[in-house]
Amino acid sequence: MTQRGPAEFTPPPECPVFEPSWEEFADPFAFINKIRPIAEKTGICKVRPPPDWQPPFACDVDRLHFTPRIQRLNELEAQTRVKLNFLDQIAKFWELQGCTLKIPHVERKILDLYQLNKLVAEEGGFDLVCRERRWTKIAMTMGFAPGKAVGSHLRAHYERVLYPYHLFQSGTNLLCLQKASVDDVNDEDKEYKPHDLLQRQNIHIQPSDTSAPARRAKRMKTESGCVKSEGGEGCENRPNLRRRMGSFVAKPEPEQEVPIQVKQEPVEMKEINPEPEKSKSRYKKNIPPPPVSMVDLYVCLVCGNGNDEDRLLLCDGCDDSYHTFCLIPPLSDVPKGDWRCPKCLAQECGKPQEAFGFEQACRDYSLKSFGEMADSFKSDYFNMPVHMVPTELVEKEFWRLVGTVEEDVTVEYGADIASKEFGSGFPIKGGKFKVAPHDEKYLRCGWNLNNMAMMTPSVLTHVTADICGMTLPWLYVGMCFSSFCWHIEDHWSYSINYLHWGEPKTWYGAPGFAAEQLEAVMKKLAPELFESQPDLLHQLVTIMNPNTLMAHGVPIYRTNQCAGEFVITFPRSYHSGFNQGFNFAEAVNFCTVDWMPLGRQCVDHYRLLHRYCVFSHDEMVCNMAMKADSLDVVLASAVQKDMQLMIKDERELRDKVRKMGVVRCELFEYNLLADDERQCVKCRTTCYLCALTCPCRPGFQVCLHHAHDLCSCPVSNYTLNYRFTLDDLYPMMNAVRQRAESYDEWASRVTEFMEAKLDKKRNVTVFRVLLEESDQKSFPENDLLRQLRLVTQDAEKCSSVAQQLLNGKRQTRYRTGGGNSPNQLTVEEMRSFVRQLYNLPCSLTQAPLLKELLNSIEDFQQHSEKLLSDEVSADSVSEIESLLEEGSQFDVCLPELPLLRERLEQARWLAGVQQAENLVSNPCGLSLDSMRRLIDRGVGLTPHPSTERTMARLQELLTISEELEEKAQALMKARPPESFETLSSMLTQVDGVPAYLPNCLLLQDTVNRAKGWLQEAEDLQVGGQTPVLSSLSDMVLRAYAIPVRLEPLDQLEVLVSEVQAWKESAAKTFLIKNSHFTLLEVLCPRWEVGSSLKKKMRKLKGECMSSGKKKLVKLDSMSDVERALSDSKDSASAMFTLAEVRLKELESLCALRAANESKLLPTADCASLKVCVCQKPPMGAMLQCELCRDAFHSVCVRRPSDPLDPEAWLCPLCLRSTKPSLTKIQTLLASLQRIRVHLLEGDALRYMIERTVSWQRRAREVIDLYDHSLTSQDCRGASPTQTHRTTGHKRKPLCGSPSQCQDWGVSGQEQSVFYTEQRCIPLQGLSSEVEELMVEGLLLQVSVPETQQLYRLLLSGPPTTDTSHTEHPPYLTPKHSSPQREGDAITSAEKKAKRRMNREEAEIRDRGMKPKSKKQRMGTKKRRERKAASVSASDVSQSEDSEEDMTQCPAENCLQPEGEEVYWVQCDCCNRWFHMICVGVSAELAAEEDYMCVTCSTTNTGRRK
C-alpha cells in the first residue's frame, strides 16, 4: 500500500557458529561460559554438536495432538499492523455512515492512506496544507515523481476519504448540535456550502450486519473462499491457509478505486437513488397530517425545523433526525444502508480496541496431518518441491509478506506445546520411549534439554516449582512462514533451542546491551501499539523487519538453524525468527551464576510494567542461602551479593511501612501458596519476603512498593505478612559469606589488581600466583577466573611478541622469503599493541623499550614523510638509501618502505637522466637509444610530478629527435638529392637539440663536405689555373659520395667526360691492341728500360741459381714519374721532369744494347745464352731488335705469314705503340688544349711532339751530311771506307752462315747454329752520336719519314772517313764533333736534366755514398766467360785480344786473388769487371747497391763540371 515498493530484504550478518570437540561438548555449562564473551556480543549463537552426537527422537508421535495458532503475516509486523488498524478505523467510520471504503489508486499504485494522513498532520493539517500549497511536497515525500499534478489528486482523495474522519476525530461534526437558532443555522449553512464537497465524494451506502472481528477477518476479499480440499476433507473443515489479495488492475484514471470489503458477504452495490421498495424510508412522505400529527416529533436537532422532510435523516441507533445539509460535513443525498448520527458515531468509535493476540485454529492436528498441510502449503506457494526452495528465497518472501497490506497470507504454528504432556523429543528416564543400549548415554547427557535446566550449575535448580517452558521443555511444530516474534526470555534468562528434524529455522537476534535501544526504536516507529499495550513486546505478537532496526542503529545478527543444531540466546537478548518449512524443535531456559544480577534487575523491570513473574527471585535466593554449605563458592559469592541488595531494600521498605503506621505483623509462609495467589494486585509481582493485606479485601495483597494501592482503609488496619524477619536474613547471608569468604578475598585481590592504575600495576608474575591459588583452592570456573586467566595469557603473549619485536625476530609470524611479511605488524598495530601493553592490568618490562622503539619508528616515518613530500631529486639517492637501511631494521610493516623504494627508483632514474645529459661524462650527448632506455625504465616507475615532467621532457626530446633523425635520413636518401640550401635549413632546426643524433651529424658532415666541395669548385673556376684531371676526377667522385645536389657537378662531369673521351681517342691512336702499356707509359720516355732489363736478368739468373738466393725487388719507377708530373706546377716543370726521364732512358738503353750485342759475339757460348721471350739459346732463324739489339727466335715473335718488313724491326718489348703520324698527334694536342684540363698524358704528348720535332731537325742534318758524304765519295772514287763498309756489310751474312757460326764455340761445347733473317744496322765504326740519334728515333712513338731515311742510310753502314778532309763529320768520333753542333743537338731541358743528375751524384759522393748499382758475384770461370761477352761496342775491335787480357782486373793496384771462387763486381757504367777485394766492395754492398768504378766516377764528375 506504500507508494515506494518495498525494498528487497538484506540479510543481517551471521552470528557466531561454534563446533565444540568431544572434550568441550562434555560439559555444556563450561562450554557456554567459555563462548559467552564472544556470543553475548551478538545475543545469539549456533552450536553444532560433534557429528556422532545423534540422539534418538523420543516423542510419542501418535499421541501428539495440538491446536496451532493462526498467524496472519501482515498483522505481525508492527508498522503494518498500525496501518491496518488505521484502515479498520476508517472503514468502520464509513461503514457507520452507510458507505463502503474504497482505497483509490494514484499513478497505478494503491494510495497509502495512513502515510497521507500522517504527512498532512505533520504539515499542520488540511487547511494549512491547502493554504500554503504543500501538496506537491507531500507527493514527493510519498515517492511520487514531480510534475504530474499528483498533489491535486492527493488533495481530492484526502478531502473525500480522510477529511470527514479528521473532522469526526476533532469533534467538529458535533458542533452542529450546539446551534441555538435558525438564523445561526442559516448563517452556518451559508458558510459551509456543502454541495460542492458532496459532489466530489464517491461514497456508496451499503447495509452493515457484521461485527468488528468479522470485519478484520474479511478486510481483504480473497479470490476464493477456501483452499481446495484434499483427502476427502471439505472446505469447511480445512483452515484458510493462504489468503492473498488478488492482483489490482491499474487503470489510467487516478480516480479508479479498489473496494476493501468490510462485510462478511459481498452485497450488490445499489444505485444512489434506490427504488422505494428496496430501501428503508428515512424521510417523511408528503401526506396531509391527521388532526393530531406526529410530524412535530421529527425535527432536525441542529436547526430545530421540521421542514424539508425529504432531506430529513433518521438515526438507526437513536432515531434522532437531522437534515442532510445540517451535518458537518453536509451530505449530498440520503445514504444507503444504516446511518448513525454524530452522537452514535462518537459513541461507537470511541470504544477501546481489544488487545491483539493470536487466534487458535479450529482444528486439532496430529504431527502427520500438520506436516501434510505444511508441505502442501509450501509446495503450492512456491510451485516447486519443498526441498528445492532456497532458504534465501523464503526469507525474502517472508519479509515481503509481513510488510505488505495488499496480500493477506495466513499460516499456523504449533507453539508452546508442553513436553510434560506429550513427551520430549529427547529420551528421559522412566519415559515411555524405550531407549536402545547404545543410546542410553543421551539419558544422562547435559545437552538433553530435560537435564540442562535442572543441572547443578543452573540456578533454576533452586526453584521448587516446575515451570513449563522454563524448567520443562516446550515443543514447537512449525510450517513455512510460521514465526516467533521479537521477545526476550522470562526473567531475562538463557534459552537453548534444539531442532530435532525438519527444515531450517531462521533466527534473528540482538545483543543484550541493545535491548533498550530496540524497544525504543519499536516504540518510536509504532507508538500507537504501545499506547494500548505497554508490555507489547512481552506478548510475543509483534515483529519488525531487521533491516528497519538496523537502519536505526540496532545491531542485528542472523543464522539458519538446521536439524541437529542448537541455538543459544543470552540474557536480555531479543530474538525472533520464522520457520522455513515443516520442522520439530524443542526449547528450555536455564540460568547461570552470571545471570544473578540480571535476574534481580528483571524483577524490578517487571514491577514497572506490571508484569507477572514466572517465579519469585527472592524465594530462589533464600532457598540457596539456606543451603549455603552445599553451594559452590562462586555461586555463594553471587548469592551473598544478591542478598545484600535484597536485605537492604527490604529493610528500607519495612521502615517505610512502619513509618506509615502499620503496626501489625504476622508470619506468613508465602512459599506454600501458588504463585497466582500471592501476586501484588498492583504490579503483579510474586510476593515472598513480605506483603501488606487488609481485612476488607481478603485474598488480596500488595508488595511494599505499592503500599498505598491496597485499599482506602486506614493504614492501621493493614497487616504486614512476612516470611523472614531481618534477624533471620542476616544469619543466612553470613553463612553464605563464610562459604564464599576465601573466594571473596581472592576475588577482591584479583579485582584490585585488575583495576589498578598505571603506577600501581603489578607484574605478570603476581597474576600467575593468583591463578595458582585458584587451582590450589579448586575455585570453580567463573567469569573472574576466566578474565584473570585471559589477562595472564594476553600478558604472556604480549611479552613474547614485544621481546621478539625488540630482538627483530619473526618466530611467531610466518615469513614468506625476503621483504615484509604479510603477517608483519603495521605501525598502527604496533601503536595499538603498545597501548595494549599499557592497558594491560599488569606491567611488562618490555613496554617502555617497545615504546622507545615505536618512537624511533615514528621518527623514521616523519623523516620519510618529509622526504616523500619533497620533490624527487637525483641528489637524494644516498639519503633515501640510508632511510631504507634504517627502516629495514624495524620488524614492522612500514608503508613508507615501498614508497621509499619507489622514490629511490625515481631518484636513481633522475640521476641516470642527469648523468646521460652531462656533457662531461657523456661528450657525445644523449643518444636515442639512451632516451628510449630511460623512457622504458621511467614507464615502470610510480608516477610523480618530477618524474612525469622529466619523462615528458625526454619523450618530447625523443619525439623531436626521432623526427629530426627521420627527416635527416630522408634528406640523405632523397633521390634526386636535395639542394644544399635545404640541408642547411634542416641543420638550423637541429641546433639547440641536446641529443646525439647520428643522422643529423652525418647530415652536418655532408653539408660541411658539400660546402668544402662547392668552395673548391668555386676556387677552381675563379683561380685562373688549369685544372688537373686527377683533381677533377677526385672532385667528381667525392661529389658522388655527397648526397647533395651540387650545381657545378654537371659541368665537371661534362669536362671529365670530355677528358676521358680524349684519353680514349689518344689510346686508340697510340696503343696497340691488347697492349699492357698505359697511355702515359707509351707517351713518356722509357724510364724502366734499364731496371726492367736488370729485373729480367736477375730473374733469369735467380732461376739458374739456388732457391736460397734472395730476389731484389724495387718499386715501379713509373709511379715516380707520375708523382713527379703530378707535382709539377707548370709545363716547364713537367718538361724538365720528362727530359730527365729521357736521359735515363737513353743511358739505360745504351747499356742494354751493349749487353745484348755482346751476347751474339763469336766468342760467346751460344748454348749457355738465354735469348728471346722464351729464354732459350739462339738457334735457327733469328731476328735482332734494332733498338735493344736483343735476339729473338723468328718462330716466337713472327708468324710465318708475316713478310719481312724492310723497315727497322723492333721486338715486342720495344714496340710500345702504333706510332701514329705527327699530324694526328698534333690534332690530339690541339683538341686537348681546347678542353683546358691539365693532363699528365697531355704533358707527355707535348714533350713527345717537342722531342720529335727536335729529333727531326737533328736527323735531317745527319741525313743531309750523310748524303753529302756519299756524293763526295762518288766523286773521289773508291776509298778505304768503302772497303770497310763492304767488309762490315759482309759480317752479317757470315753470322748468319751456319758454317761460320760453328767457329764461335766456347770450351769445346757444341756450337748452336743460328742466323738472322733481317739486316741490322752495323755498329762497327758508327759514332755514338749517330747511334744515339738512331736509337732516339726508334724510341719515338711517332711515325716520321726521317726515321726510315736514317735507318736505310745506316743500314748500309757509315761512310769512310777522309782524314785529309778539312771538315769532320760529327758521326765519326766524339772528339772531331763540333761543340756548336753538339750543343744544338742537346736541348736546353736535357742540359738542365744532365746538370741536375751531376749535382745529385756530387752530393752523394760528398756524403760518402756511392751511387746505387747492381752487383754480381761469380767465379773465375764464369768471369772469364762473361768477360768476353761484356766488351763495349766501342771496344768490339779489341775482341781479338788474348784471354789473359780478359781475365785481368782493371784496378790500378790489383791484388790478384787466388782460389776456386773469386768474387767479381761489374761497373754499371763501363761494364768492366773488378775484384771485389781490389775495389773494396763487400758481397752485401754489391748485392744491395749499384757499383761505379773510379774511372767512370771521374768521367761523370768532369762532365757535370
Side-chain angles (χ1 to χ4, degrees), residues 31 44 54 73 111 334 379 483 550 653 761 975 1033 1043 1059 1079 1081 1243 1269 1340 1347 1391 1412:
F31 178 72
I44 62 172
Q54 296 178 355
L73 298 185
L111 180 61
V334 177
S379 61
S483 63
M550 294 171 66
L653 291 173
K761 288 184 179 180
R975 292 295 179 271
S1033 301
V1059 174
L1079 180 61
E1081 289 176 345
D1243 294 338
S1269 174
L1340 293 177
T1347 306
K1391 292 179 181 179
K1412 295 182 180 180

Side-chain angles (χ1 to χ4, degrees), residues 291-310:
V292 180
S293 177
M294 298 297 293
V295 176
D296 294 338
L297 299 177
Y298 297 98
V299 293
C300 177
L301 296 182
V302 177
C303 63
N305 296 327
N307 53 356
D308 294 329
E309 295 179 358
D310 56 340

Side-chain angles (χ1 to χ4, degrees), residues 1159 1161-1162 1164-1170 1176-1178 1301 1304-1306 1309-1312 1314:
K1159 292 190 297 184
L1161 293 176
D1165 186 2
C1166 295
S1168 63
L1169 294 178
K1170 302 296 183 182
K1176 292 181 179 180
C1301 287
W1304 295 346
V1306 179
Q1309 296 180 1
E1310 183 180 358
Q1311 295 182 347
S1312 298
F1314 68 94

Side-chain angles (χ1 to χ4, degrees), residues 1027-1067:
V1028 183
L1029 176 62
S1030 60
S1031 62
L1032 290 179
S1033 301
D1034 180 65
M1035 286 185 64
V1036 172
L1037 293 177
R1038 285 190 287 114
Y1040 290 157
I1042 301 174
V1044 183
R1045 188 171 69 248
L1046 302 173
E1047 301 298 339
L1049 178 60
D1050 296 337
Q1051 301 176 4
L1052 293 181
E1053 287 178 338
V1054 171
L1055 191 59
V1056 171
S1057 63
E1058 292 178 354
V1059 174
Q1060 294 295 339
W1062 183 89
K1063 289 183 66 175
E1064 292 177 1
S1065 176

Side-chain angles (χ1 to χ4, degrees), residues 15-207:
C15 72
V17 179
F18 300 97
E19 297 181 355
S21 62
W22 277 109
E23 182 181 358
E24 294 173 328
F25 195 72
D27 188 352
F29 284 94
F31 178 72
I32 293 172
N33 286 333
K34 181 179 180 180
I35 66 175
R36 184 167 62 86
I38 300 174
E40 67 181 358
K41 296 178 182 179
T42 58
I44 62 172
C45 71
K46 183 166 64 175
V47 178
R48 290 196 184 106
D52 297 337
W53 194 83
Q54 296 178 355
F57 184 65
C59 184
D60 190 351
V61 178
D62 297 331
R63 291 182 59 249
L64 180 60
H65 283 72
F66 60 94
T67 301
R69 299 171 181 173
I70 298 176
Q71 293 180 336
R72 297 182 179 88
L73 298 185
N74 53 7
E75 292 183 352
L76 299 178
E77 215 278 331
Q79 293 175 293
T80 309
R81 191 192 307 166
V82 171
K83 294 180 181 180
L84 293 176
N85 291 339
F86 175 78
L87 291 177
D88 286 346
Q89 294 174 5
I90 295 293
K92 182 178 180 180
F93 170 78
W94 285 112
E95 181 183 1
L96 293 175
Q97 296 292 307
C99 302
T100 302
L101 174 64
K102 294 182 180 180
I103 303 177
H105 278 76
V106 177
E107 292 290 321
R108 299 184 179 182
K109 297 178 182 178
I110 297 177
L111 180 61
D112 189 346
L113 295 177
Y114 172 78
Q115 187 182 15
L116 177 61
N117 181 73
K118 186 175 181 180
L119 290 176
V120 172
E122 291 175 355
E123 291 293 333
F126 177 75
D127 296 333
L128 183 62
V129 172
C130 293
R131 186 165 54 252
E132 297 187 2
R133 299 179 180 180
R134 299 180 183 176
W135 290 106
T136 302
K137 177 182 177 182
I138 292 176
M140 294 178 64
T141 306
M142 295 183 68
F144 294 105
K148 294 186 178 181
V150 179
S152 60
H153 296 306
L154 294 181
R155 174 180 175 175
H157 294 316
Y158 184 89
E159 188 176 16
R160 179 173 53 84
V161 180
L162 297 178
Y163 187 60
Y165 179 71
H166 172 70
L167 294 178
F168 159 71
Q169 281 188 322
S170 62
T172 306
N173 60 341
L174 296 178
L175 295 177
C176 61
L177 302 180
Q178 301 176 5
K179 304 298 180 180
S181 61
V182 176
D183 294 337
D184 295 337
V185 171
N186 292 336
D187 294 339
E188 190 70 22
D189 290 341
K190 292 179 181 178
E191 181 182 357
Y192 282 109
K193 296 180 181 180
H195 56 277
D196 293 336
L197 179 61
L198 292 175
Q199 289 178 0
R200 293 195 298 271
Q201 290 180 342
N202 187 15
I203 302 175
H204 301 278
I205 302 172
Q206 189 173 17

Side-chain angles (χ1 to χ4, degrees), residues 12-13 41-42 486 509-511 513-514 517-518 546 549-550 552-557 574:
K41 296 178 182 179
T42 58
W486 286 109
F513 63 82
Q517 186 180 3
L518 183 143
L549 297 173
M550 294 171 66
H552 287 78
V554 181
I556 303 295
Y557 301 89
Y574 273 97

Side-chain angles (χ1 to χ4, degrees), residues 1468-1480:
D1468 290 328
C1469 292
C1470 61
N1471 293 329
R1472 293 184 300 171
W1473 291 91
F1474 298 86
H1475 294 129
M1476 287 186 182
I1477 191 171
C1478 295
V1479 297

